[in-house]
Amino acid sequence: MKARTKSIVMAMALCFIMALTACGKNETISNESTENTPNDVVQTQETGGQSGRPEENSGKTDNQDTGNDVLVAYFSATGTTKGVAEKIAAITNADMYEIIPADPYTDEDLDYNDDTSRTSIEMNDPDARPEIGSEAISLEEYTVVYIGYPIWWGEVPRIMSTFVESYHFDGITVIPFCTSGGSDIGESGKDLAEQAGSGNWLAGQRFSGSVSDEELQSWIDGLQ
């Protein structure tokens, strides 16, 4: 009888030990499953299905995102006009758009002493319209557009004609400005206005490359 009782106790003890072992294995498996779950999967579960990928671009351009209503559009072959354009943009808190030739001008192209240079040929042809390589811009967000350019052979570069003829300036106040070593702005602003055929064009102004912020501020204040 005692032997039978001893056998029963041993059997019960063995079953208890097996049960504890099984529980330990289940807890280990559960912990390993959590630790090996990729972070992005965990995030998806926590955020209700968001994959964590960056939002797609809405398609808006930089000028439309900023909410500014002033634009400085400029062409600069040597960097002089660009410097003035940057100063005007800083003063007016304007967006900027560079008119970049599809075929950039080289030093040889800009040699006005050579009658066969590219710019000499273009400026001798009123119908020349050099192609613009920079991406097109929407003017719908703007009420004021400053247009800057150098003076070539006493006139506005032909690529500026390409630009103004490519856009509508209805409802926009257009303010031309130019840079040169000595030539005045002349009829260049008027010529662009006629080619554009739209917009409220104000009288333009010529500046040297070293124009100060104070001079530009005074000019801008006088436009109002």
Side-chain angles (χ1 to χ4, degrees):
M1 189 72 179
K2 289 182 178 180
R4 183 177 179 184
T5 300
K6 185 177 181 180
S7 298
I8 293 173
V9 171
M10 291 178 64
M12 292 177 65
L14 181 61
C15 290
F16 182 73
I17 292 172
M18 292 177 64
L20 288 176
T21 302
C23 290
K25 287 183 178 181
N26 289 339
E27 183 176 358
T28 300
I29 292 173
S30 177
N31 288 338
E32 288 177 352
S33 178
T34 301
E35 291 171 1
N36 292 333
T37 301
N39 291 334
D40 57 346
V41 176
V42 173
Q43 182 180 9
T44 300
Q45 295 170 345
E46 293 176 349
T47 57
Q50 295 297 323
S51 65
R53 289 179 293 181
E55 294 183 3
E56 294 184 2
N57 193 308
S58 63
K60 291 184 177 181
T61 60
D62 290 342
N63 61 285
Q64 292 170 323
D65 287 339
T66 62
N68 294 338
D69 61 356
V70 180
L71 175 70
V72 177
Y74 69 94
F75 162 66
S76 184
T78 63
T80 301
T81 305
K82 179 179 180 180
V84 176
E86 289 174 340
K87 291 179 181 180
I88 294 175
I91 293 171
T92 59
N93 191 32
D95 296 329
M96 297 188 70
Y97 174 75
E98 183 174 7
I99 302 167
I100 302 174
D103 183 12
Y105 291 96
T106 66
D107 290 340
E108 291 75 15
D109 292 335
L110 299 172
D111 187 358
Y112 64 89
N113 290 315
D114 182 0
D115 292 338
T116 63
S117 70
R118 175 183 169 191
T119 49
S120 293
I121 294 173
E122 287 179 356
M123 297 310 295
N124 283 325
D125 180 7
D127 296 325
R129 295 294 183 270
E131 182 181 355
I132 296 175
S134 43
E135 185 177 348
I137 185 173
S138 172
L139 300 182
E140 294 181 357
E141 302 295 322
Y142 300 107
T143 59
V144 175
V145 175
Y146 290 83
I147 293 184
Y149 49 88
I151 292 294
W152 286 356
W153 288 258
E155 298 182 56
V156 60
R158 303 302 183 205
I159 194 170
M160 296 305 301
S161 300
T162 305
F163 176 74
V164 299
E165 290 175 351
S166 301
Y167 292 91
H168 296 290
F169 296 90
D170 297 308
I172 298 175
T173 297
V174 186
I175 308 168
F177 67 94
C178 72
T179 60
S180 73
S183 299
D184 198 358
I185 194 168
E187 297 292 318
S188 61
K190 181 180 178 182
D191 292 340
L192 288 177
E194 292 177 353
Q195 292 168 356
S198 61
N200 175 31
W201 289 70
L202 303 186
Q205 182 67 40
R206 173 260 175 194
F207 299 104
S208 68
S210 59
V211 62
S212 67
D213 292 346
E214 291 74 20
E215 290 175 295
L216 289 172
Q217 182 71 70
S218 177
W219 171 64
I220 292 169
D221 291 344
L223 296 171
Q224 302 174 356

